[in-house]
Amino acid sequence: MLRTFAEHCLRPVQSLDGLWDFLPECDRAVRGNTPKTFTRKIECPSAWESIPDLSGYRGAAWYHRTFQVMEGKNVRLAFGGVSHTATVFVDGKEVGGHYDAFTPWEVLLTGLKPGKHDLTVKVDNTFGDHSTLHIPNDYYTYGGITRPVELHLVPDLFLDKIFAVPKSGKNGWSLQVRVRVRNVGDTAKGGVIRFSVAGQQVEWKLSEIPAGESAEISKSVTGLDVKPWSETAPNLYDMVAQLSVDDKVIDDKVDRVGFREVKVKGKQLLLNGKPLHLRGFNRHEDHPMYGCAIPAIGMAQDLDLFKDLNCNFLRTCHYPNDMRILDMCDERGIYVWEESHSRQTPFDPPNFEAQIRQSTLEMVENHFNHACIVMWGTLNECDTASDRGMEVHGEVLEYLRGLDASRPVTYAGHLRQRDRCTRYADIVSWNLYTGWYGGKPEKTLAELEEMIAWLDSAESGGGKGKPVIVSEFGAGAIYGCRNQRADPWSEEWQCVVLDEALKAYLHHPRVVGASIWQFCDVRVTREGNNHTYNAYSPMGRPRCMNNKGVVDEYRRPKLSYETVKAHMVAAEKKRGRV
Ligand code: ADA
């Protein structure tokens, strides 16, 4: 399942998860053409790095299975995520594809004869000019069909997406609803949409949609008697849309909504009008057993640790996350900063702008209704100093705002007073690392004050008076490396750095959020020669891992776990919860 709940009651949906035929190119003498025979099997979803002899495989691989088609139905193949480039063939004919591991995508098949068909997917996780977002980096680019796959049988006219924006007013809550409907038939079609939420049901006439086109119907549902959503009361409501033609319901779609409003007001971030204080972690989707294809129980266990640490905030560094963990954050009341896929990404490759816009569009359109997402981010630690950098930040942040006016937007910058892009963000976010990449832990507060003074001066060129989040800070500690000298890479040193950082960042009145770098140790790319994560250099990435987790890759707590918990408890006492 792509979600933690059923998105359809009427529409026939089957899971394509399970054992697929599998053939990595490294097994083949002659490569490239669609294989007829397969030498292996692989469980989907999974990362092929979970297979011992493929644990470091960077290349292409072929997946195959069959599927059945019913009379007179179209097939919608829904992929949660394939890492990182997919090409899809049905009965040997190329029918679609996608770039970027971290967003859902689909292939729509019309006119298939009833009966059994062949589905083949070529997956490629190589680096090169074709890939500007997946590059050698301080996290690993895995390979495979790494998130769930579903097969939907849809009529010619079907419900594509629901976008819902809750609004509070003097007469209670209302919901601004946009429903996108697709017509893949060969004649114009209209119908009736029946929409229900929180005990209310309304009907909307759907004007005819020309063949092969999509259309949206925008309506408001008012006077809703609902309980708001927040971390202390994560109330969720089903939205059910049914599409009828000639009084017969032909399709349906279920999504969920939490009634909350997120606003920036002066130096504050407000949730339902109350000041919000975000306290938590940056979390990569990474695990030594599963790579990026962490099963649902693994996601839930990570969130249980967040709760045990008294945290309420998850930053999806540095890409859109699996929809199931976002569903879990909706259900558990954990606030999320979700960001489109970028980390220290160069802007000069010709296809960069198209690829970052696609990641951003798919993130917003597929994750729009998650109550837990309180802000959108993008362009982590990219060029914020040059004219070109300003141009790209301005464009992408404006694009984000255009896709969703209901949430604030931000980017995590690392160039401190050289950053010329704070004008484009609603919230100013800094990756600081005092005490690890420079400076001394005892100077953490002083450096923060210096940054805030700069931000609120004309020097920042547009950040004055905006809310601040310290989006990354931390130190490396190898699990089990202990010494009383608190040497770098010891767990003791990580405690020293985090103690000073949390004291400063969790309690400064100008800081509305702080996310530790990082939740767990993660695998990094061996290729590449970046000074900060060069796996071969002693200062780089021992074990070919980013070792700044507060738990190690197996989620074993380091010495700093209790330090973090104590600070998070103290911060809640002082700054509360919404
Ligand atoms: C940067 C970057 C992170 C990680 C971190 C580190 O802040 O945003 O992805 O690489 O540095 O561990 O150095």
Side-chain angles (χ1 to χ4, degrees):
M1 289 264 286
L2 288 166
R3 307 296 295 272
T4 61
F5 61 93
E7 292 182 281
H8 300 277
C9 302
L10 176 91
R11 181 189 296 184
V13 174
Q14 52 184 282
S15 168
L16 296 186
D17 295 351
L19 209 56
W20 287 49
D21 301 320
F22 179 61
L23 179 63
E25 286 285 74
C26 56
D27 282 5
R28 299 177 83 184
V30 179
R31 302 178 180 182
N33 56 332
T34 311
K36 296 268 182 297
T37 55
F38 294 81
T39 54
R40 309 195 196 196
K41 296 278 186 182
I42 191 168
E43 191 65 22
C44 286
S46 71
W48 63 53
E49 289 80 0
S50 300
I51 299 172
D53 69 320
L54 299 179
S55 66
Y57 176 54
R58 191 163 301 288
W62 297 84
Y63 292 70
H64 170 267
R65 62 161 293 155
T66 59
F67 63 88
Q68 292 287 344
V69 180
M70 278 163 65
E71 182 67 41
K73 287 279 186 181
N74 305 297
V75 170
R76 177 178 176 268
L77 297 173
F79 293 86
V82 176
S83 187
H84 64 58
T85 296
T87 311
V88 182
F89 304 83
V90 169
D91 302 334
K93 182 169 161 282
E94 185 173 336
V95 292
H98 184 265
Y99 168 74
D100 196 6
F102 302 116
T103 41
W105 53 283
E106 65 183 60
V107 175
L108 199 91
L109 307 165
T110 57
L112 284 181
K113 288 190 181 53
K116 189 154 86 167
H117 294 269
D118 280 307
L119 169 61
T120 305
V121 182
K122 182 183 181 187
V123 180
D124 183 318
N125 76 340
T126 57
F127 298 130
D129 295 344
H130 57 291
S131 172
T132 69
L133 308 182
H134 285 281
I135 56 179
N137 222 324
D138 201 18
Y139 57 96
Y140 197 79
T141 283
Y142 291 94
I145 297 181
T146 48
R147 293 181 184 168
V149 188
E150 291 178 350
L151 185 151
H152 295 207
L153 295 175
V154 294
D156 285 348
L157 191 73
F158 67 91
L159 295 164
D160 187 8
K161 284 195 173 44
I162 300 172
F163 302 98
V165 179
K167 290 272 179 207
S168 68
K170 52 185 184 307
N171 304 323
W173 286 92
S174 62
L175 198 61
Q176 290 174 350
V177 181
R178 262 188 306 135
V179 180
R180 183 179 298 165
V181 184
R182 272 186 79 175
N183 176 4
V184 295
D186 46 18
T187 58
K189 296 178 189 327
V192 171
I193 292 177
R194 191 169 298 120
F195 183 84
S196 61
V197 62
Q200 275 211 36
Q201 190 169 83
V202 288
E203 272 197 8
W204 304 321
K205 184 176 175 343
L206 178 70
S207 313
E208 280 206 337
I209 302 174
E213 294 188 16
S214 286
E216 289 186 359
I217 184 167
S218 295
K219 295 286 182 183
S220 245
V221 185
T222 57
L224 290 165
D225 175 17
V226 293
K227 296 192 181 78
W229 183 92
S230 74
E231 70 174 284
T232 51
N235 297 300
L236 292 171
Y237 293 83
D238 282 352
M239 297 185 287
V240 181
Q242 291 182 331
L243 175 63
S244 300
V245 173
D246 304 333
D247 289 333
K248 182 173 179 297
V249 180
I250 60 166
D251 194 27
D252 72 339
K253 184 162 180 64
V254 178
D255 204 338
R256 297 189 309 195
V257 61
F259 287 86
R260 92 282 180 270
E261 281 181 311
V262 188
K263 288 193 186 328
V264 165
K265 190 174 174 209
K267 298 174 179 166
Q268 290 189 312
L269 180 61
L270 303 178
L271 185 94
N272 296 339
K274 296 178 190 143
L276 188 56
H277 187 231
L278 303 169
R279 305 179 283 266
F281 287 93
N282 290 273
R283 174 185 175 272
H284 269 297
E285 292 181 326
D286 192 282
H287 193 283
M289 306 288 284
Y290 310 110
C292 63
I294 300 176
I297 181 58
M299 300 176 198
Q301 286 172 322
D302 283 354
L303 295 181
D304 289 344
L305 287 171
F306 270 62
K307 287 285 189 182
D308 183 61
L309 285 157
N310 212 44
C311 291
N312 66 358
F313 181 46
L314 160 66
R315 177 183 176 215
T316 70
C317 60
H318 296 294
Y319 37 75
N321 271 200
D322 188 303
M323 291 187 281
R324 291 169 295 169
I325 197 165
L326 299 175
D327 288 334
M328 291 176 191
C329 288
D330 291 337
E331 294 155 0
R332 286 165 170 77
I334 291 176
Y335 302 113
V336 172
W337 156 343
E338 187 169 57
E339 62 186 25
S340 50
H341 184 193
S342 43
R343 177 199 177 277
Q344 295 188 2
T345 318
F347 292 163
D348 41 6
N351 49 349
F352 164 74
E353 289 204 36
Q355 291 186 339
I356 191 64
R357 288 172 79 93
Q358 189 64 18
S359 170
T360 303
L361 173 69
E362 292 174 347
M363 170 179 77
V364 175
E365 290 225 326
N366 287 287
H367 300 169
F368 191 90
N369 296 328
H370 285 287
C372 65
I373 297 174
V374 293
M375 70 186 79
W376 300 114
T378 186
L379 301 179
N380 174 74
E381 292 204 347
C382 292
D383 168 12
T384 56
S386 73
D387 292 347
R388 171 74 176 137
M390 285 178 75
E391 181 191 7
V392 173
H393 279 80
E395 279 170 7
V396 178
L397 287 160
E398 211 37 52
Y399 182 59
L400 249 179
R401 270 197 200 87
L403 293 171
D404 178 7
S406 74
R407 292 177 172 95
V409 299
T410 187
Y411 65 89
H414 64 316
L415 297 180
R416 298 198 178 200
Q417 285 93 336
R418 289 191 297 124
D419 184 335
R420 298 163 63 196
C421 297
T422 56
R423 72 197 70 189
Y424 303 124
D426 298 314
I427 299 169
V428 174
S429 302
W430 293 320
N431 298 347
L432 290 177
Y433 292 101
T434 307
W436 182 257
Y437 287 124
K440 294 189 178 318
E442 56 272 23
K443 295 291 183 200
T444 300
L445 180 57
E447 286 191 17
L448 173 66
E449 297 286 17
E450 208 180 288
M451 285 297 293
I452 290 170
W454 165 81
L455 182 70
D456 288 344
S457 74
E459 288 301 301
S460 71
K464 185 179 172 69
K466 291 182 177 178
V468 168
I469 287 179
V470 184
S471 37
E472 293 185 30
F473 55 94
I478 309 274
Y479 180 81
C481 173
R482 304 286 307 277
N483 69 48
Q484 289 170 330
R485 300 181 304 284
D487 288 339
W489 299 112
S490 69
E491 293 184 39
E492 284 81 0
W493 181 243
Q494 187 182 49
C495 284
V496 168
V497 172
L498 284 177
D499 189 47
E500 290 291 347
L502 292 165
K503 226 176 344 189
Y505 304 148
L506 287 179
H507 298 283
H508 195 290
R510 196 69 171 67
V511 175
V512 301
S515 39
I516 297 169
W517 187 274
Q518 64 175 323
F519 170 66
C520 65
D521 293 349
V522 302
R523 184 174 178 183
V524 302
T525 317
R526 199 152 160 183
E527 301 95 319
N529 200 16
N530 179 308
H531 72 284
T532 57
Y533 66 87
N534 178 344
Y536 294 95
S537 86
M539 186 50 197
R541 294 291 177 268
R543 312 189 298 147
C544 253
M545 300 283 288
N546 183 310
N547 298 281
K548 297 187 184 71
V550 166
V551 298
D552 79 347
E553 63 272 27
Y554 290 96
R555 278 59 178 173
R556 298 178 297 184
K558 299 177 187 174
L559 203 55
S560 59
Y561 186 97
E562 293 305 326
T563 303
V564 168
K565 187 191 274 193
H567 276 289
M568 294 296 178
V569 169
E572 181 200 349
K573 283 198 179 66
K574 192 169 161 204
R575 304 188 68 174
R577 286 189 183 285
V578 179

